[in-house]
Amino acid sequence: MPQAHATGAILAAAMFCTAAAPLQGCGTVVLPAGLGQSDPQAVNSLNPLLTNHVYNVQVMQQIYRPLVWLDRHVDYDPDLSLASSVTSADDGRTWRFTIKPWLWSDGVKVTATDVLFTFDIIRRLGAGYVNDGIGGIPEFITRVASDNPHEVTLTLDRSVNPGWFLRTGLNIPVLPEHVYRGLTLEQMRLRQTDPALYRVSDGPFIMSEFVVGRHITLLPNPSYGGRHPAISRLVVDFLEGGNPLQALRAGEIDAADIPFRLSDLARALPGFTTTRLDGPFGYGLLYLNMRSAAAPYLRDVRIRQAIALALDQDEMIALAWHGQSGEVHGPVPPAMAGFLSDAARQTYPSLRHDPAKARALLDAAGWHPGPDGIRRKDGVVLRFSVGVSAGVVDRLIELQVAQRNLAAVGIDIDLRGLEFNDLFATLEGNGHDWDSIMIAWTITGYPDGQQSFSSDGASNYGHYEDAKMDALNRAVLKDAGRRALDAAQDYTAAEQPVIFLPDGAISLLARPGLHGLREMENPLGSWSPEFLTLSGDMACAREAAAR
């Protein structure tokens, strides 16, 4: 899942103003979009089959519960899932799940019909389904059927790794069939921000207001079958172009991400509380474009390995993430400890910062320093461009470290700042007019490399192709246990189809009457605001008395 990550410019002096204007209405919580994951940006779609950007997902999942909800340990959580049980008795070919006897907020029962309807839309969307191919959906499916209103059987065309499919194939939000019935796919695309289409919910909240480009207001869903919210209203403020810390100080929002470079100052700020979040279940990465017209040498594994060896991740962690991160050299984030291979647990010693080894690889590949120290081969200069989100200060710092590290071994990079949406559009573009892009990435639930590093992967934006990699990734999708996953991640680390980079563990600053932020935040990018509680001035008098 792509994300902007980190924060824009902050006036540090403003942090020492402790007065905070009270928000209107007790029981209300106002949070910036992307809290715990990225800089605030506008929610631009509420259709879970057409978008997977973190800003949209955090709101969508309050309205539509997924069949399978993954907890902070990447395990199936039946309490937060629409499916009360999920079983497979034949090596992952046939799956049976039971739908909870919940109600939609308009009183209509949630049934298997809604599940079948949702899978049919996914089938009709085809490549237009935002998560097409992830978890083998929809191409692995041969049949979706129901014997009764609360049982659904999903049949695949092959046996699959049950742990993989449970975490990637079934975390699909279910749409209300009686609301979407009769809409064409084009009408669904055109109505992604139409409030009238999203007022029926089976989640903990109902959408009350959607002001495009400004904010969304959510109210507790009295018909929700799970844990009921303890707050009376949730406002998601897009804060586009705004400063979250200044908005928090002014009482406009109730919590904000702490910029890494201001972490020591923020923790010492009186009148607010801090919360350190788990994760991240992701990493920074430098996408290398194997189809670049200007830098075809990126297809050479020796060049990619030299780039990885030249980068001083310890320096990046100190300067960009202020110690709140760890080295990353492979496709499984350190926070997903249960999925790490033995070599990954040691953070791949053979890939740690080693400029001498990087120079030796470049020498062996025939690239030798010119008069300016930058290497050349057959008249070609070892230089490529790197696109980065212009407003993401932490990434810019990390990239400046990278520029200095690479120059030390004879590689020159040209930094190019872009808006985040332009950056992502470039990744999805025609494939030959960019060299590399630095971005953050969140794992979707299981750290397989099928989507990102297989030749036909939907997120293989760098156009990397390798027959051995394809075979190893196919094995992960089929074989249960550790062996296939370990082999695939170790080969990925050796190949460096992208250059893996550190990503910081975010901390939050919040008003002292707001509790449960750590329980609300999920490293996968989801929110569970039903776990939020209030005290003091933020709580209504009746609620405060009850405590």
Side-chain angles (χ1 to χ4, degrees):
M1 182 188 302
Q3 47 177 284
H5 202 63
T7 65
I10 303 291
L11 296 176
M15 294 178 58
F16 292 100
C17 299
T18 59
L23 291 161
Q24 294 182 354
C26 63
T28 294
V29 174
V30 183
L31 301 178
L35 181 74
Q37 293 287 325
S38 301
D39 270 351
Q41 291 194 33
V43 172
N44 58 22
S45 173
L46 289 176
N47 189 311
L49 307 185
L50 299 177
T51 180
N52 63 3
H53 285 194
V54 65
Y55 312 97
N56 301 334
V57 169
Q58 288 175 336
V59 175
M60 288 186 307
Q61 291 186 339
Q62 312 317 312
I63 301 172
Y64 303 129
R65 285 277 111 160
L67 282 170
V68 167
W69 182 284
L70 300 177
D71 66 15
R72 59 178 12 92
H73 306 294
V74 208
D75 291 326
Y76 161 53
D77 184 343
D79 290 338
L80 298 181
S81 303
L82 180 58
S84 60
S85 67
V86 181
T87 58
S88 177
D90 58 356
D91 297 323
R93 181 181 286 270
T94 304
W95 292 80
R96 189 172 182 86
F97 36 95
T98 302
I99 306 302
K100 292 176 180 175
W102 284 359
L103 296 175
W104 293 103
S105 56
D106 60 0
V108 176
K109 292 181 179 179
V110 180
T111 70
T113 299
D114 298 305
V115 179
L116 270 59
F117 176 76
T118 300
F119 274 102
D120 183 60
I121 293 178
I122 291 172
R123 178 190 59 79
R124 289 191 287 129
L125 283 170
Y129 170 50
V130 67
N131 292 321
D132 178 49
I134 295 178
I137 305 296
E139 59 266 39
F140 288 8
I141 298 176
T142 60
R143 185 170 181 262
V144 186
S146 174
D147 298 328
N148 62 67
H150 293 290
E151 299 287 337
V152 175
T153 300
L154 184 69
T155 305
L156 307 182
D157 64 1
R158 68 198 74 184
S159 295
V160 297
N161 174 354
W164 166 76
F165 187 72
L166 176 68
R167 292 171 172 85
T168 58
L170 295 178
N171 56 348
I172 297 173
V174 173
L175 302 179
E177 186 269 346
H178 66 288
V179 173
Y180 282 80
R181 182 195 308 130
L183 288 181
T184 66
L185 297 182
E186 182 60 22
Q187 288 171 326
M188 288 174 53
R189 293 187 181 97
L190 293 174
R191 297 182 64 183
Q192 293 183 66
T193 58
D194 181 359
L197 193 58
Y198 303 101
R199 296 195 189 280
V200 175
S201 166
D202 70 339
F205 289 88
I206 302 171
M207 189 175 64
S208 164
E209 182 183 40
F210 188 171
V211 180
V212 175
R214 298 290 297 278
H215 67 264
I216 286 177
T217 301
L218 301 168
L219 301 177
N221 177 5
S223 299
Y224 181 49
R227 176 184 178 130
H228 282 261
I231 63 176
S232 61
R233 186 171 65 148
L234 174 64
V235 179
V236 182
D237 194 326
F238 304 159
L239 271 185
E240 285 201 299
N243 182 314
L245 283 183
Q246 289 181 346
L248 175 63
R249 182 197 62 81
E252 297 168 0
I253 60 176
D254 292 312
D257 293 356
I258 300 174
F260 291 97
R261 65 196 178 283
L262 298 179
S263 56
D264 292 338
L265 294 174
R267 290 192 184 93
L269 189 64
F272 295 97
T273 61
T274 60
T275 300
R276 175 75 175 268
L277 300 180
D278 294 332
F281 282 4
Y283 35 70
L285 54 80
L286 187 66
Y287 263 112
L288 303 175
N289 185 9
M290 309 303 166
R291 293 182 184 173
S292 167
Y297 43 78
L298 295 175
R299 292 192 290 269
D300 188 334
V301 66
R302 295 169 296 181
I303 300 293
R304 302 196 300 271
Q305 290 171 342
I307 292 171
L309 288 163
L311 299 180
D312 187 345
Q313 292 201 14
D314 284 342
E315 185 179 8
M316 292 177 175
I317 292 166
L319 296 181
W321 309 115
H322 291 262
Q324 299 178 68
S325 186
E327 288 189 45
V328 182
H329 298 288
V332 180
M336 302 181 81
F339 297 99
L340 294 170
S341 70
D342 290 342
R345 291 176 193 277
Q346 302 172 48
T347 63
Y348 294 108
S350 62
L351 290 169
R352 289 178 184 159
H353 181 52
D354 191 335
K357 189 174 178 181
R359 294 187 189 98
L361 278 170
L362 295 171
D363 288 341
W367 294 87
H368 302 290
D372 57 358
I374 305 304
R375 293 175 181 264
R376 290 164 168 78
K377 180 180 179 180
D378 300 329
V380 177
V381 180
L382 192 51
R383 174 184 294 120
F384 60 92
S385 65
V386 182
V388 64
S389 185
V392 182
V393 174
D394 305 313
R395 291 279 169 227
L396 289 170
I397 294 172
E398 193 170 47
L399 193 49
Q400 288 170 349
V401 174
Q403 187 177 45
R404 185 169 62 253
N405 293 161
L406 292 173
V409 301
I411 301 174
D412 186 37
I413 60 174
D414 176 26
L415 280 55
R416 299 181 181 179
L418 299 169
E419 293 298 322
F420 176 72
N421 288 336
D422 292 337
L423 199 71
F424 198 68
T426 301
L427 280 176
E428 294 183 310
N430 59 32
H432 61 75
D433 58 358
W434 60 278
D435 301 337
S436 68
I437 284 176
M438 179 180 280
I439 199 169
W441 198 262
T442 297
I443 302 298
T444 56
Y446 192 89
D448 67 279
Q450 173 67 29
Q451 292 306 304
S452 295
F453 309 122
S454 288
S455 301
D456 59 352
S459 301
N460 180 13
Y461 299 119
H463 312 288
Y464 171 79
E465 296 182 10
D466 182 89
K468 181 177 179 179
M469 179 73 80
D470 292 346
L472 289 170
N473 286 336
R474 285 194 298 269
V476 173
L477 272 55
K478 181 181 178 183
D479 300 340
R482 292 284 303 274
R483 181 175 298 179
L485 181 61
D486 287 358
Q489 67 178 298
D490 289 347
Y491 186 70
T492 305
E495 278 285 296
Q496 293 287 301
V498 301
I499 306 301
F500 298 97
L501 297 168
D503 198 18
I506 292 175
S507 293
L508 306 179
L509 194 67
R511 288 161 59 86
L514 178 59
H515 315 284
L517 283 170
R518 189 176 186 278
E519 291 75 15
M520 183 195 82
E521 288 279 358
N522 184 303
L524 292 168
S526 301
W527 275 0
S528 300
E530 62 266 41
F531 287 97
L532 295 176
T533 60
L534 304 176
S535 65
D537 293 339
M538 293 190 68
C540 297
R542 176 171 51 83
E543 294 172 347
R547 292 189 178 89

